[in-house]
Amino acid sequence: MTTMNAESPQVDAPADLWTVGGADLGSRVLLGTSRYPSLQTLLDSVDASGAEVVTVSVRRVDLDASGDGQTLLGALRQRGLRLLPNTAGCYTAREAVFTAQLAREALETDWVKLEVIGDDETLYPDAVQLLKAASELVADGFQVFAYCGDDPITARKLADLGCAAVMPLAAPIGSGMGLVNPYALRIIRELLPDVPLVVDAGIGTASDAARAMELGYDGVLLNTAVSGAQHPAQMAAAIRHAVTGGRLARSAGRIPRRLYAQASTPDAGRVEVDE
């Protein structure tokens, strides 16, 4: 609920918990953990972002690593972060399901970010294989966070299957192009008003994250926008503030767009001078 401070006209951001995959989260930023210049830069960026959930690639991390703080997984666990293993690099439903099962056994979580890629050029999801994998994983008790294209029909089918969250892309992975099809993202939000929706992939800077939240999305998941920035922790902080600002703007209710101007000053009392 938005509050007013009696001694200051400043409007405070509302307490904004949301529930996804059976967990209550205070942060709406989900952060990837790959391609950072160093482990310390990653950890600084996680702290600056305020993220409570971080993604880890099952194919790229040592799942047998100890939690002593000297490894990626150990350092993340020390911070009490919730791990979201992903199936990056999988091209078939079979590969994705097998990878998810490995992650569940090694990391002791039923959360999985499901990615089933269609080709090496665009890294767009393969909708057919994605739906097949999602169906199998949901039936097997997974909380599936499904990365998909900006196709409203596929998004609705994933929701109907029982995915914990549907995560349409803003633009191709790592492109930094921002929200290239906000129209489709808006349709997905309107079709799925009660499903946790997260914009995933393509975010390039803070304004992209704010725009996603203004469209009514529940969160943003990003990696390259932070890890590839000149100052990753600074960008992570910018994303954090942008998400809060976009969410607050959404709840405030923007004015309608108009083709022509509308004067902010009323005509009453207008001074008229005869020529």
Side-chain angles (χ1 to χ4, degrees):
M1 181 175 182
T2 303
T3 59
M4 292 292 291
N5 187 323
E7 298 180 356
S8 170
Q10 180 177 356
V11 177
D12 297 326
D16 206 18
L17 290 176
W18 62 302
T19 301
V20 61
D24 295 327
L25 302 176
S27 172
R28 292 174 181 267
V29 178
L30 294 80
L31 195 64
T33 56
S34 66
R35 299 182 181 276
Y36 285 82
S38 66
L39 176 58
Q40 189 58 53
T41 300
L42 163 61
L43 298 177
D44 291 343
S45 298
V46 171
D47 292 343
S49 73
E52 299 170 30
V53 176
V54 293
T55 67
V56 292
S57 173
V58 178
R59 290 172 173 258
R60 297 193 186 101
V61 299
D62 180 5
L63 297 180
D64 294 323
S66 64
D68 60 3
Q70 302 304 308
T71 63
L72 171 61
L73 290 181
L76 296 176
R77 283 171 169 153
Q78 276 195 340
R79 280 168 162 71
L81 296 165
R82 182 178 285 271
L83 301 180
L84 177 59
N86 67 45
T87 62
C90 293
Y91 289 80
T92 67
R94 183 177 181 181
E95 290 177 357
V97 169
F98 178 69
T99 302
Q101 291 169 339
L102 285 177
R104 180 164 64 180
E105 181 177 349
L107 301 178
E108 300 181 338
T109 179
D110 59 3
W111 279 25
V112 64
K113 178 188 172 186
L114 177 60
E115 299 182 30
V116 187
I117 301 304
D119 68 73
D120 290 324
E121 292 295 326
T122 66
L123 299 182
Y124 265 71
D126 182 320
V128 174
Q129 294 295 311
L130 173 66
L131 290 166
K132 181 179 179 182
S135 178
E136 293 183 28
L137 291 172
V138 169
D140 195 23
F142 281 88
Q143 297 287 344
V144 178
F145 293 63
Y147 165 67
C148 63
D150 57 8
D151 169 25
I153 306 305
T154 300
R156 184 169 59 188
K157 288 182 177 181
L158 289 166
D160 290 343
L161 286 172
C163 290
V166 177
M167 306 200 298
L169 55 79
I173 293 172
S175 69
M177 290 293 292
L179 279 62
V180 297
N181 195 350
Y183 172 72
L185 294 177
R186 180 178 174 183
I187 290 177
I188 293 172
R189 177 75 282 177
E190 292 186 2
L191 282 176
L192 306 173
D194 300 319
V195 175
L197 294 180
V198 177
V199 168
D200 179 13
I203 297 292
T205 189
S207 58
D208 299 330
R211 194 177 185 193
M213 302 308 292
E214 289 172 358
L215 285 175
Y217 276 69
D218 297 291
V220 295
L221 194 159
L222 68 161
N223 190 146
T224 309
V226 174
S227 66
Q230 292 184 28
H231 304 286
Q234 187 172 328
M235 179 60 76
I239 296 293
R240 177 180 188 171
H241 291 298
V243 166
T244 299
R247 179 75 175 168
L248 190 58
R250 170 75 177 188
S251 64
R254 64 156 292 141
I255 63 172
R257 290 180 172 86
R258 300 176 182 275
L259 183 60
Y260 296 103
Q262 182 182 51
S264 58
T265 304
D267 288 337
R270 180 179 177 181
V271 177
E272 297 185 8
V273 180
D274 294 333
E275 294 291 338

